[in-house]
Amino acid sequence: MTAPLADASRRTRRRVVILAALFALAAAVWAYLGIHAGRAAVHGYRLASEVAALRGGGRDLRTLGAAVPGLHAEVAGLRGDLAPFLAIAERLAWLPGVGPLCAVAPPAAEAGEGLLEVAALLAQAAPPDAEVLPGLLAALSEESAALEAAASRTAAALGRMEAVSPAGLPAALREPWGRARQALPLLQAGLSALPHLGGALDAPGEQAVLLLAQNSDELRATGGFISSVGTLRFRDGALAGFTLEDSYSIDDWTKPHGDPPEALRKYMGLDLLVTRDANWWPDFPTSARAVSEMYTLERDVPIGGVVAVDVYAAAQLLEALAPLDLPDGLRLEKGGVERGLHEGWGLPAEALLTGGEVITPTRAFSEVEVALLYTDRVGAVWFDDVRLERLSAAGVNLVQNGSFEEDADGDGRPDGWEVQGLAAGDGLAEGVASYGRRSLYMGDAADQKAALQTLPLSGAAGEPFLAAALSRAEGVSAKGGAYALRVRFIGGEGVEEFVAPFPFFTHEWASAGTAQVMSAWWAGRKDVIGLAVGAALERLMGDPRGVDWLTLGTAARALLDERHIQAFAHDEALQDVILANGWGGALARPEGDYLLVVDSNVGYNKVTASVAESIDYTVTLDGDRPRARLVLTYENRSTARRPGCDQATQYSPVYADMTRGCYWDYVRVYIPAGARLLASSGGDEAAEALTEQDGDAFAVYLVLPPGERREVALEYLLPGAAIAGDRYTLCVQKQAGTVALPLQVTIEGSGLRPAAGEGLTPSEAAAGRLIYRTDLRVDRAIAVDLSAP
């Protein structure tokens, strides 16, 4: 055979061998993948069977927990079977259209298995007969090391998932994936905190986690007045119960209380610091420690952590679970939760209207005295429609001129009545009436004011009468003497007296004798909060598969980011997790310029809900030191309930009334250390410089009547550190409890350029000026490059 033929033969044999090897390799790969695909099909079938059985079973957490280990085993097997395909998928992210799906599949599979592993560890370690929450607590302590490892792997996988943008996904997946991405940091933070919970809660003895319900309609530094305090109690690491109390019921006056901050003493007249006022400091860790100390003083219970939730947050979270049926018959409808909470808190006007009081003398009488009394109280009252009827002759009013319509001599005093102690402004009131066009008005009473009528009636013991009267009140103080309808039966055996008090506080027309209705309402006026929390927990634990967890998680993440929910833990590891995610409400300590405006409603009302506020901040960078001008604009859009501004007359059982009236605001503006106040205007007092534990601040006090608008301006020099080299940076921090205050920042100076890729983009840019228009839904950052281009 010639050489060329021999070479051709060798090349042919080589090709055949290579083809055979490639065929064998392809067959092996195909068989390998086929085996994995077959195993995946088996696990997939088993997994589908497990899920189908679960759907046919119970819906509570106990049933789900029992099923989790089996689900985890099947998902782990399925992921192992799909490992070759997932490895290929990770390298196909470049493909158009399906690339993002390929990219997200491996971390999603790892995260899904990891979450089930965590759940399985908790379910398997929990005592078999334990209730859900106590069982979880026991498992946290038992499996802390394994949980930490599984949680760490799962959190890393979730981080890789978060990096996949929804933009490249198929249209049908973009919106749900975008929502899921928003909830992933919350899930990651929960996994990071999970291994530390057991140690934090497994302390010997009793401790508690406090839930502060803050009403942002009465804005305070950390989000609102502490309306209610929930207590999740643990004893020796086991759950001991949950209670929710009116914040006013916590005080134990047998124990010594410290002095309040000077502003609370000066502007609210407080002499002692109590739990409900201990969130005075805008740095939430500082206030949380103060609240913990106060609660421990009051109740002798150590506090392990504090969570604060404002009304806006509560409404948003409950919206995700609505509709909710509360045990008292109130239904929180989707889209109306916040309104329902306010309505549940308030007292319906019709609750104070009755047909009158039945009274029966126990001895014979020869005359009857009917009197309206108003004694030693602040406020204003109107009386109308006074009646006394024999039940044997119902409908016949024995009182003369009971509606105060008659005044024959025009002296401003009602005919047929003897008046005592009335001042110059008291007497008949035109145009204010429950019946007709007149009523009897009485203003602030230092002593007794009264209107009396003696009727020449006689009768025997046991004869029943119906006594009735109506009164309207503005700002009536809770403490004082009689505010009532009084009926006396006078006879030879003496005087027998019946008194029917009117409600204290502000109210529309109410019947004599309904003070007890007001008292009962006061004792349970915040029950709606506890009932709503209970209904929500029952929904979460009793029907977890019926909950839209994605919507709930997305809402919770946004509320944490926007500082409507804040958390604090005394355990350092847990607190580090909270602060790392920006959910601890701590004051920023940035280098450069800094601004935080903190409003505190010190007026005993809810008028913050009716006040519009905006922030306009201008910084001039040219000169020896940067110069700042801050203008805060306030507009009280409510209407007046009574003339003037008197803190003592603000309370009302009707929630809508509490949002009307004057606005008492103590404003603190936190600025960089070393800033120097130059001038101020718009406050009722000159601004003052403060050094608090939170940092340096300027303070201004103002009282804003209804319908008025006010600008409060502060001018001050910034420290030289506000400019670092050729850069100016500004951090504007949001006050907790506010929603999205309008914010405008103007930077003036020569050679200004927005720093590339940092902070906000200016709304307007011109030579020597950058203007940023935004809002404070979250904290805002601005960076400006001052170097020559």
Side-chain angles (χ1 to χ4, degrees):
M1 182 179 295
T2 62
L5 289 175
D7 290 341
S9 177
R10 284 194 295 272
R11 286 195 296 270
T12 300
R13 287 196 300 272
R14 190 181 303 117
R15 288 173 184 152
V16 170
V17 170
I18 292 172
L19 287 173
L22 289 174
F23 180 80
L25 178 62
V29 170
W30 185 259
Y32 174 77
L33 295 177
I35 292 171
H36 277 267
R39 289 175 178 172
V42 172
H43 279 115
Y45 175 78
R46 290 176 180 170
L47 181 61
S49 299
E50 292 266 3
V51 172
L54 186 59
R55 285 177 176 170
R59 301 174 67 89
D60 60 15
L61 281 178
R62 185 184 293 277
T63 303
L64 290 174
V68 162
L71 290 174
H72 172 245
E74 297 302 337
V75 169
L78 181 60
R79 180 169 169 261
D81 295 333
L82 294 176
F85 302 98
L86 294 173
I88 295 171
E90 282 192 296
R91 292 166 174 76
L92 299 177
W94 55 269
L95 288 174
V98 297
L101 280 176
C102 295
V104 80
E110 184 179 351
E113 181 195 345
L115 289 172
L116 282 171
E117 181 183 0
V118 170
L121 285 169
L122 293 173
Q124 290 171 329
D129 297 327
E131 293 294 328
V132 173
L133 286 179
L136 289 177
L137 290 174
L140 286 171
S141 299
E142 185 73 21
E143 296 288 346
S144 59
L147 280 171
E148 186 169 7
S152 178
R153 292 194 304 272
T154 306
L158 290 171
R160 301 206 310 275
M161 288 176 64
E162 189 180 6
V164 179
S165 170
L169 295 176
L173 296 177
R174 288 173 197 160
E175 192 273 336
W177 178 242
R179 292 171 60 211
R181 282 180 84 209
Q182 295 178 39
L184 288 180
L186 181 61
L187 193 54
Q188 289 173 276
L191 289 167
S192 300
L194 195 62
H196 307 295
L197 287 176
L201 300 175
D202 196 19
E206 186 172 357
Q207 66 170 321
V209 174
L210 297 182
L211 172 65
L212 308 182
Q214 300 187 129
N215 191 341
S216 45
D217 289 348
E218 187 174 353
L219 190 60
R220 292 289 176 87
T222 66
F225 174 71
I226 299 175
S227 176
S228 301
V229 178
T231 311
L232 188 64
R233 301 187 312 282
F234 300 89
R235 187 173 295 111
D236 297 326
L239 184 67
F242 175 78
T243 57
L244 188 70
E245 301 176 85
D246 183 345
S247 60
Y248 281 86
S249 68
I250 293 172
D251 308 328
D252 183 350
W253 298 115
T254 67
K255 298 179 178 177
H257 289 66
D259 293 333
E262 180 56 31
L264 286 176
R265 183 193 302 276
K266 181 177 180 180
Y267 299 115
M268 298 192 76
L270 302 182
D271 294 323
L272 300 172
L273 183 64
V274 293
T275 302
R276 61 180 175 271
D277 294 316
N279 64 339
W280 180 251
W281 297 273
D283 181 70
F284 186 71
T286 300
S287 280
R289 290 187 183 96
V291 170
S292 298
E293 292 172 4
M294 290 304 307
Y295 190 88
T296 299
L297 169 71
E298 309 282 12
R299 296 295 177 85
D300 295 321
V301 177
I303 302 302
V306 181
V307 178
V309 180
D310 65 24
V311 172
Y312 179 85
Q316 295 300 307
L317 293 175
L318 292 172
E319 281 284 357
L321 299 171
L324 291 170
D325 291 312
L326 276 53
D328 65 348
L330 180 66
R331 182 178 173 87
L332 298 178
E333 299 284 0
K334 189 170 287 294
V337 169
E338 189 168 1
R339 182 179 65 254
L341 291 175
H342 286 162
E343 290 175 352
W345 182 93
L347 180 67
E350 59 272 16
L352 298 178
L353 295 173
T354 68
E357 299 280 306
V358 175
I359 57 178
T360 305
T362 60
R363 47 184 177 249
F365 56 91
S366 57
E367 59 182 9
V368 178
E369 178 192 87
V370 178
L372 298 167
L373 308 176
Y374 190 54
T375 307
D376 191 24
R377 286 182 186 261
V378 173
V381 297
W382 293 259
F383 296 105
D384 203 356
D385 199 18
V386 185
R387 291 178 289 126
L388 183 69
E389 303 175 4
R390 296 181 188 268
L391 288 186
S392 59
V396 178
N397 189 3
L398 303 173
V399 176
Q400 299 179 30
N401 193 20
S403 62
F404 306 110
E405 296 297 305
E406 300 171 14
D407 179 21
D409 56 7
D411 63 352
R413 303 292 191 258
D415 293 347
W417 291 86
E418 175 191 351
V419 295
Q420 298 176 354
L422 267 60
D426 298 332
L428 294 176
E430 295 283 346
V432 180
S434 172
Y435 175 84
R437 60 188 181 88
R438 286 177 173 167
S439 61
L440 179 60
Y441 169 81
M442 297 182 191
D444 295 347
D447 295 314
Q448 176 172 292
K449 295 184 179 183
L452 305 94
Q453 188 173 132
T454 302
L455 307 175
L457 300 175
S458 59
E463 181 180 3
F465 287 79
L466 179 70
L470 294 175
S471 182
R472 177 178 179 271
E474 281 282 1
V476 171
S477 56
K479 297 180 180 179
Y483 169 36
L485 167 68
R486 184 184 69 194
V487 179
R488 285 176 168 173
F489 293 90
I490 304 169
E493 299 180 22
V495 176
E496 193 168 4
E497 179 176 285
F498 295 88
V499 178
F502 291 101
F504 49 85
F505 298 136
T506 297
H507 59 80
E508 288 301 319
W509 293 104
S511 299
T514 55
Q516 69 271 22
V517 176
M518 177 75 81
S519 298
W521 164 80
W522 174 264
R525 69 195 187 286
K526 297 175 184 177
D527 288 351
V528 64
I529 301 173
L531 295 174
V533 170
L537 289 175
E538 183 178 349
R539 176 81 183 280
L540 289 170
M541 301 185 68
D543 184 18
R545 290 196 289 117
V547 174
D548 185 345
W549 290 99
L550 183 56
T551 297
L552 190 62
T554 302
R557 159 77 192 284
L559 294 166
L560 285 161
D561 288 346
E562 296 171 15
R563 212 161 290 138
H564 295 290
I565 301 175
Q566 299 164 101
F568 170 80
H570 286 282
D571 180 87
E572 291 185 5
L574 280 179
Q575 181 65 2
D576 287 344
V577 173
I578 294 169
L579 294 176
N581 286 277
W583 299 335
L587 259 66
R589 297 287 190 263
E591 295 182 356
D593 198 4
Y594 174 62
L595 177 65
L596 168 63
V597 178
V598 177
D599 295 286
S600 294
N601 182 336
V602 292
Y604 295 99
N605 61 24
K606 315 297 181 189
V607 175
T608 308
S610 302
V611 174
E613 179 180 354
S614 63
I615 301 173
D616 191 338
Y617 185 57
T618 301
V619 177
T620 302
L621 299 178
D622 291 337
D624 294 336
R625 285 179 63 175
R627 187 183 184 105
R629 176 177 169 80
L630 174 67
V631 178
L632 306 174
T633 302
Y634 298 91
E635 183 179 357
N636 186 345
R637 297 177 176 175
S638 73
T639 56
R641 288 165 49 199
R642 64 173 303 182
C645 293
D646 183 356
Q647 284 177 311
T649 64
Q650 294 304 297
Y651 203 87
S652 168
V654 180
Y655 196 91
D657 286 344
M658 292 286 285
T659 65
R660 299 167 50 213
C662 298
Y663 182 47
W664 286 263
D665 191 15
Y666 181 70
V667 190
R668 283 169 286 176
V669 177
Y670 288 83
I671 35 80
R676 181 161 64 87
L677 183 64
L678 298 175
S680 69
S681 61
D684 289 4
E685 301 172 356
E688 62 174 334
L690 302 175
T691 298
E692 295 186 336
Q693 59 195 106
D694 298 328
D696 289 352
F698 303 135
V700 180
Y701 174 72
L702 69 148
V703 181
L704 189 64
E708 292 194 11
R709 184 176 182 274
R710 182 92 62 89
E711 287 188 352
V712 174
L714 299 173
E715 294 187 26
Y716 52 97
L717 290 177
L718 292 168
I723 300 177
D726 292 328
R727 288 170 54 82
Y728 165 80
T729 57
L730 169 65
C731 169
V732 185
Q733 196 166 8
K734 169 191 174 165
Q735 180 183 359
T738 59
V739 177
L741 297 182
L743 170 68
Q744 177 169 304
V745 175
T746 303
I747 312 296
E748 298 176 338
S750 55
L752 303 178
R753 289 183 297 125
E758 293 186 59
L760 296 174
T761 300
S763 306
E764 294 182 23
R769 175 175 294 179
L770 299 174
I771 300 177
Y772 301 81
R773 296 187 183 93
T774 182
D775 62 47
L776 277 178
R777 185 171 294 279
V778 294
D779 297 350
R780 301 298 183 186
I782 290 173
V784 177
D785 190 346
L786 306 178
S787 62

